[in-house]
Amino acid sequence: AGNRSLGARQSAAAMALTGVRVLELAGLAPAPLCGMILADFGAQVVRVDRAPRSAAANDVQGRGKRSLALDLKRPLGVKALVRLCRGADVLIEPFRHGVMEKLGLGPEVLLHENPRLIYARLTGFGQTGKYAKSAGHDINYLSLSGVLSKLGRKGENPYAPLNLLADFAGGGVMCAMGIVTALYERTRSGKGQIIDASMV
């Protein structure tokens, strides 16, 4: 038993992302999964909620995270997030195209405040292209990418596989991989970057 507890302590201390500070702006499915993956590997993840959450204990994607509430539609909330970003390594942003810029929190502002920040934007269609400003859902991303046509039995209509492929695999997992890659690159350049994670 003594050896087992020593091993658990050593593995907890040796987590790959220990010391990495992540701010996750509250969103649906893919962004919380991305933050949870980073937390599972040792990152300190703080979810920035719109209002105090009373049901956080039931949030399975809240595992390993802390939470704080900020109203980003008010100047004090914006100032508080800018201050938090100065000391952060990663920001996960799950909003529609242009929302952060409208709030005065776009990447040009936050990277000016912290040039080492990894600013991860997680959307359905990315920041450029004809669909960039469009809203969408998991089923839209599956169908537009062509993946939906591959799901189902021959001669039958395709069926949607919950939100596992687009939201979780194409969104949360790929964004987490982009963040880890950007953190590794930052060890060479010393500079942060913008990640444009598109589920499509």
Side-chain angles (χ1 to χ4, degrees):
N3 285 342
R4 256 186 264 139
S5 64
L6 175 62
R9 281 196 307 262
Q10 286 174 334
S11 61
M15 295 295 289
L17 298 180
T18 297
V20 173
R21 292 157 300 181
V22 178
L23 295 170
E24 171 200 315
L25 300 182
L28 300 175
L33 177 72
C34 179
M36 188 179 75
I37 291 168
L38 300 177
D40 284 349
F41 284 99
Q44 177 188 341
V45 180
V46 176
R47 184 185 58 221
V48 179
D49 290 309
R50 294 180 184 101
R53 295 181 60 116
S54 57
N58 298 329
D59 181 5
V60 294
Q61 291 182 310
R63 182 176 69 218
K65 301 176 190 177
R66 291 192 221 163
S67 174
L68 68 87
L70 289 178
D71 185 349
L72 298 180
K73 293 183 180 177
R74 296 180 183 257
L76 285 176
V78 170
K79 285 180 185 176
L81 186 67
V82 170
R83 202 166 46 249
L84 288 167
C85 284
R86 286 184 193 132
D89 295 294
V90 177
L91 174 72
I92 303 170
E93 183 260 293
F95 302 137
R96 283 177 64 180
H97 184 276
V99 168
M100 289 294 276
E101 284 80 0
K102 193 185 238 183
L103 295 171
L105 295 166
E108 61 287 336
V109 172
L110 296 181
L111 284 167
H112 176 74
E113 293 289 332
N114 178 1
R116 292 177 52 83
L117 183 69
I118 310 296
Y119 192 116
R121 308 191 94 164
L122 179 50
T123 62
F125 303 107
Q127 298 298 309
T128 60
K130 68 179 184 176
Y131 294 113
K133 295 181 182 178
S134 302
H137 300 283
D138 185 89
I139 194 74
N140 304 119
Y141 312 143
L142 283 177
S143 58
L144 285 168
S145 67
V147 172
L148 185 62
S149 68
K150 304 297 180 191
L151 303 175
R153 295 184 175 143
K154 188 174 183 178
E156 293 181 11
N157 289 332
Y159 63 89
L162 302 172
N163 61 344
L164 299 175
L165 292 180
D167 278 350
F168 289 152
V173 173
M174 290 305 292
C175 189
M177 186 174 175
I179 289 167
V180 170
T181 304
L183 287 168
Y184 177 71
E185 192 281 332
R186 191 179 72 176
T187 64
R188 300 175 182 189
S189 69
K191 295 179 181 176
Q193 61 179 281
I194 302 165
I195 296 171
D196 183 9
S198 160
M199 284 177 262
V200 172

